[in-house]
Amino acid sequence: MVASEIRKLADESQQAAQKINGIIPEIKGAIDSTVKATEDRRKTVAAGVKIAQDTAGAFMGVREACNLVFASNQQISFNVKLSSRPSRFSK
């Protein structure tokens, strides 16, 4: 009787080991898929960060150009005001 119980437990252990061996490739596949998805997301985020940095650089360039235009306009305005004053030598 003890021998049959041991044999039964051995058979159950073998079946459990076979099930585990069948599950391991599934788990490995799921892990590989997760790693790939994570890497894809990382690349997407890195591309998004690059786009944001490029956009920020473009806006800084626009701001600098606006500042130059503003300064030029101020200089033009000053020159116009200066040239519209009657000269003390023009009489």
Side-chain angles (χ1 to χ4, degrees), residues 20 29 31 49 53 60 66 75 80 85 87-88:
I20 290 169
I31 290 170
V49 167
Q53 289 171 338
M60 288 185 70
C66 288
Q75 186 63 46
V80 167
R85 289 186 183 166
S87 170
R88 59 183 167 131

Side-chain angles (χ1 to χ4, degrees), residues 4-42:
S4 68
E5 287 296 318
I6 291 174
R7 195 169 288 124
K8 182 179 173 187
L9 287 174
D11 288 342
E12 289 174 2
S13 294
Q14 184 179 7
Q15 290 173 359
Q18 288 173 348
K19 285 181 182 179
I20 290 169
N21 285 336
I23 293 171
I24 288 174
E26 293 175 25
I27 293 171
K28 184 182 179 313
I31 290 170
D32 291 345
S33 294
T34 302
V35 168
K36 185 181 181 324
T38 301
E39 181 61 20
D40 290 347
R41 296 316 178 278
R42 187 197 63 75

Side-chain angles (χ1 to χ4, degrees), residues 86-91:
S87 170
R88 59 183 167 131
F89 299 111
S90 64
K91 290 185 181 179

